[in-house]
Amino acid sequence: MPRVTRVVIVGGGPGGYEAALVGSQLGGEVTLVDCDGLGGSAVLTDCVPSKTLIATAEVMTGVRESAELGLRFGSTGKGSVESSVHVDLAAVNRRVLDLARDQSADITERVLRENVRLVIGRGRLDGPDRVVVQTTSGEETLDADVILVATGATPRELPEAKPDGERILTWTQVYGLQALPERLIVVGSGVTGAEFASAYHALGAEVVLVSSRDRVLPTEDADAAQVLEDVFARHGLEVMSRSRAAAVTRDGDQVTVRLTDGREVTGSHCLMAVGSIPNTSGMGLEEAGVVLDRGGFIKVDRVSRTSARGVYGAGDCTGVLMLASVAAMQGRIAMWHTLGEAVTPLDLNTVSSNVFTAPEIATVGVSQRQVDAGEVPAIAVNLPLRGNARAKMQGSRDGFVKLFCRPATGIVIGGVVVSPRASELIYPIALAVAERLTVDQVSGSFTVYPSITGSIAEAARRLRTRSVSVPGSLTT
């Protein structure tokens, strides 16, 4: 009888618990080591909480923009949104945290049901085939044939801007707020900063977004970022571009953000969104032969292997597209690979991602930057949302659908959707990219009329009728 493979997974986020499920289903003897609660930051402090908060913000955005749809407030119809609807942030945050705990509990129940042994404690490697766990009752040593490290990452802190959990906050600490900030300064204009700035402004706070770059969302599609900046400006959310924070201080109920050029910005609260650092220090990784990069992230290949035989890595601690979906896939791939299943290496060109602002920004495949730089030959169509019948009915005018295809074959290789619920609308484009569908095939599929997805088919039709001899782009 073949020996059962002993799998030890350190970290219970999406990369860890998804790997544990696959490993057990494939016959491995799986032990999952975790110290913060299953689901990790994705469930407890990041994705689930932030998107729950944003869900409330989306409702408020809809309410505030409902006058165009003919809705009036008050018995006379002359009342304002502000006088009729307000946000109870304490209640919102209670719901946020309850949902996060419930989701973590559901994951724990599922993992235990699949015969995964759960050890609560902090694990470290003692060589490439052993994990030592510090538990409340002492140390426990776990021998392993395979180790997966999926320990995630934590918010980066600036030396001169130490969070206090009350007025100077990281994104893991905002759910303790009992009242809406009067004036929130968000430092950092990447995905996290833009999402929280958009959400808190929709909830009714005055928001200032401090960006060290020329624009918000510097790594996203430039056309999409411009739409968001235009929306921010129209709604009164202040963006301070090319402004780098040097320090953040607190004086009672006021915080002051000092910029490197000497200017100062004051507010009631400050949210620091300046990136993440991997949870890899003090884990014995390098001593076990695991190579880390300069930022402390674990170097892995496309099947999640590290430089140490039998040791794999998954999730944010690897720095590979820090998304919960990617972490989960890395964990699954690691188990498929080590337990002898057929495996397709991770292909980042098929990963779809979303920025949960208002409007949302969803992307998949090649980017406009790659096309403009000549790295990928492609033609593109950008179809503004304002021409879509369903968008008009819903009062949505900000956004577009953009598709990229190969010049010679018409194969769809990327896309961008900027609209409400773009996170749902990107899926058909992601399917087209993953399955190498042509614009002929996409444009020949039926869509509901009226629907936003109709713009995806229309963009494909525009590409289908264009000359494909010279790469370029078209905005209609």
Side-chain angles (χ1 to χ4, degrees):
M1 185 173 179
R3 180 172 60 87
V4 174
T5 302
R6 298 167 300 176
V7 179
V8 177
I9 299 168
V10 185
Y17 75 76
E18 288 286 349
L21 294 172
V22 171
S24 182
Q25 289 162 3
L26 293 178
E29 182 184 280
V30 182
T31 301
L32 178 56
V33 179
D34 183 74
C35 60
D36 297 319
L38 292 196
S41 62
V43 169
L44 294 169
T45 60
D46 193 354
C47 296
V48 170
S50 66
K51 277 50 176 182
T52 305
L53 177 77
I54 288 168
T56 302
E58 288 174 348
V59 174
M60 286 299 294
T61 297
V63 169
R64 285 199 169 90
E65 297 179 352
S66 62
E68 181 181 341
L69 306 184
L71 299 185
R72 302 292 183 263
F73 294 88
S75 58
T76 64
K78 297 180 181 180
S80 66
V81 174
E82 288 72 16
S83 63
S84 304
V85 182
H86 73 281
V87 173
D88 181 347
L89 192 64
V92 172
N93 282 337
R94 280 196 300 273
R95 177 173 182 266
V96 165
L97 295 176
D98 285 346
L99 282 172
R101 282 190 291 266
D102 288 347
Q103 183 69 11
S104 179
D106 288 345
I107 294 168
T108 303
E109 181 183 355
R110 169 85 190 282
V111 164
L112 294 175
R113 191 167 65 243
E114 294 292 335
N115 297 316
V116 174
R117 183 184 177 223
L118 180 59
V119 177
I120 306 301
R122 192 171 298 277
R124 70 178 190 277
L125 273 64
D126 183 17
D129 56 4
R130 184 175 295 110
V131 172
V132 177
V133 186
Q134 185 65 49
T135 70
T136 55
S137 57
E139 282 193 349
E140 180 175 349
T141 299
L142 304 171
D143 292 323
D145 302 305
V146 178
I147 295 174
L148 173 68
V149 181
T151 48
T154 54
R156 187 167 72 94
E157 298 180 4
L158 301 181
E160 300 300 323
K162 289 294 185 181
D164 62 10
E166 295 178 350
R167 295 280 171 170
I168 305 174
L169 308 159
T170 69
W171 67 79
T172 67
Q173 298 171 329
V174 295
Y175 310 109
L177 291 174
Q178 297 299 298
L180 199 65
E182 294 178 9
R183 179 175 165 86
L184 175 65
I185 306 168
V186 179
V187 177
S189 61
V191 173
T192 301
E195 286 184 345
F196 276 109
S198 178
Y200 277 104
H201 190 264
L203 293 174
E206 181 182 352
V207 176
V208 179
L209 181 59
V210 177
S211 171
S212 63
R213 309 292 285 273
D214 292 338
R215 59 177 175 86
V216 299
L217 299 174
T219 62
E220 299 293 325
D221 183 89
D223 294 331
Q226 187 59 59
V227 169
L228 188 61
E229 285 203 355
D230 291 344
V231 170
F232 282 174
R234 190 171 73 238
H235 292 166
L237 193 160
E238 182 182 357
V239 177
M240 300 180 65
S241 58
R242 296 182 293 278
S243 301
R244 186 178 296 276
V248 182
T249 56
R250 174 184 175 181
D251 183 10
D253 292 341
Q254 178 177 286
V255 296
T256 300
V257 177
R258 178 170 55 82
L259 306 179
T260 53
D261 61 8
R263 289 179 296 162
E264 292 186 344
V265 188
T266 59
S268 62
H269 297 76
C270 178
L271 171 60
M272 301 298 297
V274 290
S276 302
I277 58 173
N279 297 325
T280 56
S281 64
M283 285 192 60
L285 294 173
E286 291 175 295
E287 292 83 352
V290 177
V291 173
L292 309 180
D293 69 13
R294 293 180 61 184
F297 293 96
I298 299 171
K299 288 188 175 183
V300 294
D301 63 13
R302 292 175 61 203
V303 292
S304 304
R305 289 177 299 192
T306 72
S307 54
R309 185 177 179 83
V311 181
Y312 292 75
D316 288 358
C317 62
T318 69
V320 178
L321 266 188
M322 298 169 78
L323 301 171
S325 58
V326 173
M329 185 59 73
Q330 285 180 299
R332 297 186 201 107
I333 286 174
M335 293 300 102
W336 291 329
H337 183 267
T338 192
L339 295 176
E341 289 289 301
V343 60
T344 300
L346 183 67
D347 182 2
L348 297 181
N349 288 321
T350 63
V351 175
S352 51
S353 62
N354 194 73
V355 184
F356 289 85
T357 47
E360 294 181 6
I361 299 171
T363 57
V364 66
V366 304
S367 67
Q368 186 72 61
R369 182 197 60 77
Q370 290 174 300
V371 174
D372 292 344
E375 298 173 11
V376 180
I379 56 174
V381 161
N382 185 327
L383 203 62
L385 204 63
R386 61 178 178 269
N388 180 282
R390 184 66 184 277
K392 292 177 182 177
M393 297 170 191
Q394 295 174 331
S396 301
R397 60 182 181 274
D398 300 301
F400 58 82
V401 170
K402 182 190 292 188
L403 286 184
F404 301 97
C405 74
R406 292 286 187 188
T409 62
I411 292 173
V412 178
I413 57 174
V416 183
V417 179
V418 182
S419 78
R421 299 293 191 273
S423 51
E424 309 293 342
L425 297 169
I426 198 64
Y427 185 57
I429 303 177
L431 283 176
V433 171
E435 300 303 321
R436 297 179 59 80
L437 301 183
T438 66
V439 291
D440 285 359
Q441 291 171 309
V442 174
S443 64
S445 300
F446 281 95
T447 59
V448 171
Y449 182 85
S451 68
I452 305 298
T453 52
S455 287
I456 297 174
E458 177 62 23
R461 283 192 287 272
R462 302 283 179 98
L463 282 173
R464 184 175 184 272
T465 58
R466 289 199 57 207
S467 168
V468 294
S469 60
V470 179
S473 62
L474 174 68
T475 300
T476 303

